[in-house]
Amino acid sequence: MKETRFFYVPDAASLTELPPEEAAHAVRVLRQKAGDELMLMDGRGAFFRAEVTMATPHHCMYRILETKPQPRQWQGAVQLAIAPTKMNERMEWLAEKATEVGIDVLTFLNCQFSERRTLKRERIEKIVVSAVKQSHKAYMPEVQEMTDFTSFVNAHPTGHRFIAHCYEEVARVNLFDSLCQLPASDDVLVMVGPEGDFSIDEVRQAVAAGFVSVDLGKSRLRTETAGLSAVMMMHLAKQINDK
């Protein structure tokens, strides 16, 4: 069976031409031609079955044959806030895998012990778009700009908020156990620190602001592994609580 290829077109319903990068992939790589069918996604909950009406080396025109609204695959928002690692490739891997599993908001944190304090958001967004198409997600995750730790904490004064860390002197509960006590429809936010962890002052600041202090299990995880584990725990808990 031939694999269905998806193309990301944010305003697919009101346009008749693929964006330049998508057009190049459709025409030059996949050899799409007039009369061929495409599957478009707008990143806001709709798929579109479309037909190519004209294909040139730099342009791909289409007309929509059918609109297919898509239900959300999970209830409640899933948000991960994480401090980037020194190696960009590890955050790119995380962004890809978290998108495949399912995430609504991905935020990068500038913390006291951060190894990297700048990040190319545009590069991460391209990886997220590719992962959305590959995993057939109907909704495009939001990738937020690098945010200072204190500003982020202050910007999220309510809701189910968790900070994962390794300090024994600050009481912790298990993240998954805590998530399993929440309604599936509730929004959830988990913060993960850099390789050197959050500073103890940052942990205490977050706890004082209402964040729940948690661990991710008995294993000590690298930053990107911890981030993906948190996303998977959020999803598994939602699936359990949705039954």
Side-chain angles (χ1 to χ4, degrees):
M1 182 177 178
K2 187 177 180 180
E3 180 183 359
T4 301
R5 298 282 186 169
F6 280 79
F7 298 86
Y8 176 50
V9 187
D11 297 307
S14 59
L15 298 178
T16 58
E17 182 176 0
L18 296 184
E21 288 190 10
E22 298 287 67
H25 184 67
V27 177
R28 299 179 189 176
V29 179
L30 300 179
R31 306 294 184 183
Q32 298 288 313
K33 58 185 183 301
D36 288 345
E37 286 195 4
L38 308 172
M39 188 65 76
L40 313 180
M41 54 172 57
D42 64 3
R44 297 193 293 272
F47 292 162
F48 304 87
R49 187 169 65 88
E51 179 184 59
V52 176
T53 57
M54 184 185 75
T56 69
H58 300 287
H59 298 278
C60 184
M61 309 294 293
Y62 67 85
R63 68 182 181 92
I64 292 176
L65 303 176
E66 181 182 5
T67 300
K68 299 182 175 183
Q70 301 295 305
R72 284 194 172 273
Q73 295 179 320
W74 60 89
Q75 299 183 61
V78 171
Q79 180 172 4
L80 174 68
I82 188 167
T85 55
K86 186 175 182 180
M87 296 178 62
N88 281 328
E89 292 84 357
R90 287 161 61 188
M91 284 298 97
E92 292 173 0
W93 177 88
L94 168 66
E96 178 183 72
K97 302 310 175 187
T99 301
E100 291 176 7
V101 173
I103 193 170
D104 294 289
V105 184
L106 176 60
T107 306
F108 294 101
L109 297 174
N110 182 13
C111 304
Q112 184 174 341
F113 298 151
S114 287
E115 300 176 291
R116 176 174 291 279
R117 301 187 186 279
T118 61
L119 199 70
K120 293 182 179 179
R121 178 184 176 188
E122 296 79 8
R123 168 67 180 167
I124 297 294
E125 287 178 331
K126 287 184 178 180
I127 290 170
V128 166
V129 168
S130 179
V132 164
K133 293 191 294 183
Q134 188 277 329
S135 58
H136 298 182
K137 293 290 190 297
Y139 293 86
M140 186 65 62
E142 177 187 357
V143 179
Q144 297 185 334
E145 295 282 1
M146 181 82 78
T147 305
D148 176 74
F149 177 89
T150 297
S151 298
F152 184 83
V153 169
N154 292 339
H156 296 81
T158 61
H160 301 302
R161 300 155 296 148
F162 302 89
I163 180 167
H165 64 89
C166 299
Y167 291 101
E168 296 292 345
E169 56 264 50
V170 180
R172 295 172 295 167
V173 295
N174 182 262
L175 174 61
F176 186 65
D177 290 344
S178 299
L179 292 170
C180 285
Q181 299 175 29
L182 304 178
S185 58
D186 285 8
D187 297 345
V188 184
L189 159 64
V190 178
M191 296 174 67
V192 172
E195 287 296 320
D197 209 340
F198 295 110
S199 71
I200 187 68
D201 290 339
E202 287 173 330
V203 172
R204 288 171 173 157
Q205 176 187 347
V207 171
F211 282 72
V212 178
S213 170
V214 297
D215 64 58
L216 300 177
K218 296 181 179 180
S219 298
R220 191 176 181 90
L221 306 175
R222 301 193 73 163
T223 296
E224 70 276 17
T225 312
L228 184 59
S229 295
V231 171
M232 295 183 71
M233 288 181 192
M234 286 186 269
H235 269 285
L236 183 55
K238 285 182 177 295
Q239 290 177 30
I240 292 173
N241 296 337
D242 195 31
K243 293 182 179 179

